[in-house]
Amino acid sequence: MSDTRWAWVEIDLGAIRHNVASLRAVADPAAVWAVVKADGYGHGAVDVARAAMDAGAEGLCVALVAEGLELRRAGIDAPILLLSEQPPETAGHIVEHRLTPTVYTRQFLDALVAVGPTGLPVHLKIDTGMQRVGAHPHAAAAMAQSIAERAPAVRLAGVFSHLAVADDPSDAFTARQVERFDGALEHVIERVGSVPLIHLANSAGTLAHPETRRSMVRAGIAIYGVSPGHGVDDLCADLRPALQLRARVSYVKMARAGSRISYGRVHKFERDTTVATIPIGYADGVPRRLSSTGGEVLIGGRRRQIVGRVTMDQLMVDCGDDEVNVGDDVVLIGNQDGPDGEQTIRAEDWADRLDTIGYEIVCGISSRVPRFPRRSIDG
C-alpha cells in the first residue's frame, strides 16, 4: 500500500507471466512479442516487460521512441519494435538505442539511413484495411525494394499488418485482411526474397484466428488478463487479470433521508444511510460517468453503489446499515472476500457500464496512483 495516499494499484507479475505462457501455448510455434506501450497498458512497462521476457516472450513492442528508451535505460536488451513511423528527428535515438523501426514511407526510411546505421532491422507495415497507417498493398513490394536498395544500412527483418475486427470472429473482414496481406507478401517475397518475421495477430487474432499466427504474434491486452472484446470472452478463461485498483475509506458519515450529495446534488437519499468517502476520483482514472451508470466498489466483501458525482479526488458510496470504518479496504477493480464468497469487479465491468473497452479503463488509471508490483505465489 502507498505510504503517501490511501489509493494505489497492485500489479500481479505472476499473472503476467502466466498469461504470456498461456498465449505462447496457444500461438505455438509462433513467437510471442509482448506489447508494453502506454506504460504497459497502465501496469508499468519495465516490470511487465521483464515478467513477459521471463515467461518466454521473444521481443517487445512499443508505440513511441521514448517508451523504447525507458526500457533500454532499465537494462532491457530484448528486441523492441516501434509499431509505427516516428518523427524523423528521432532517427538518431532509434539507431543509437537499437530500436527496431517500422517503415512505410521512403521519407522516414531515408531519415534512418542518413544517420549511418549498419544492418538496422526494419519492419514494413502494410495497411490491409485498418486505414490508419501503412503502405498500400499494391505499393508494399516497391517499398520492400527500397529497403533492399539501402543495404547494408538497413535490412528488411519483418513484414506485418494490423487486424481491425479480430475481436469479432463472425466478421468476415478479418479473412479479407488476411487475403490482402498474403497477396502483398507474395509480391514482397518475389521482389526481395524471404523475410524472417511475418506477423498479423494481435491479442484477439492470437486467440481466435489461427491463420493469423505467423512467425510471431503481438500480444497486448491479453497479457494483462483483460479480454480483447466480448466476441472472444470464451477464449480468455485461462487469463488472469493482473491489475487491482484499491483504496481505503477516508471518512464515514450518516446521510439523512431527503438529503443530497456531491456536485449538482443529483443523488437524493431515500432513507438514512451510511456513506463512505473514498480518496480517489476522476483525476486518478475513475470516470466521472461511472456514478451515473451504476458504478460500484467493494467494501467488506459487498458491492456498494457510488452515489453522487465522482469528483476530481474523491467519490462517495452508499453502505446502507453496515458498519464501515475509516481505513477499511476498498476494491474498485479486483477481488475481495465477503460473507457470500469472493466478489469481483473487472475492468471489463467498468467498460460495459461506460460503453467503452477494457483497454481504455486500465490505460486511463492516472500516473498519480502509485503502482506496486507483486508476485503471486504460483507466478
Side-chain angles (χ1 to χ4, degrees), residues 209-241:
H209 301 276
E211 72 279 12
T212 69
R213 305 169 195 154
R214 303 302 174 90
S215 52
M216 61 174 271
V217 301
R218 306 181 309 274
I221 197 68
I223 74 171
Y224 306 98
V226 178
S227 172
H230 289 314
V232 295
D233 281 348
D234 61 317
L235 302 175
C236 298
D238 190 47
L239 301 179
R240 302 178 187 171

Side-chain angles (χ1 to χ4, degrees), residues 295-308:
E296 298 172 318
V297 307
L298 302 175
I299 302 176
R302 296 185 185 278
R303 294 178 178 272
R304 318 288 185 171
Q305 184 176 350
I306 297 173
V307 289

Side-chain angles (χ1 to χ4, degrees), residues 260-300:
R260 296 175 180 270
I261 193 168
S262 196
Y263 289 117
R265 304 180 70 240
V266 294
H267 180 83
K268 179 181 178 180
F269 293 103
E270 299 301 324
R271 63 184 181 89
D272 292 356
T273 189
T274 300
V275 174
T277 298
I278 318 301
I280 189 169
Y282 62 74
D284 302 297
V286 181
R288 188 170 181 266
R289 286 195 304 117
L290 201 61
S291 56
S292 61
T293 56
E296 298 172 318
V297 307
L298 302 175
I299 302 176

Side-chain angles (χ1 to χ4, degrees), residues 4 15-16 19 26 30 55 110 117 186 206 247-249 254 257 266 290 294 304 324 346 352 366:
T4 61
I16 298 290
N19 295 337
V26 170
D110 287 338
E186 181 179 357
T206 301
R248 293 201 181 278
V249 173
M254 176 64 69
V266 294
L290 201 61
R304 318 288 185 171
V324 177
R346 306 178 306 155
D352 287 344
S366 168

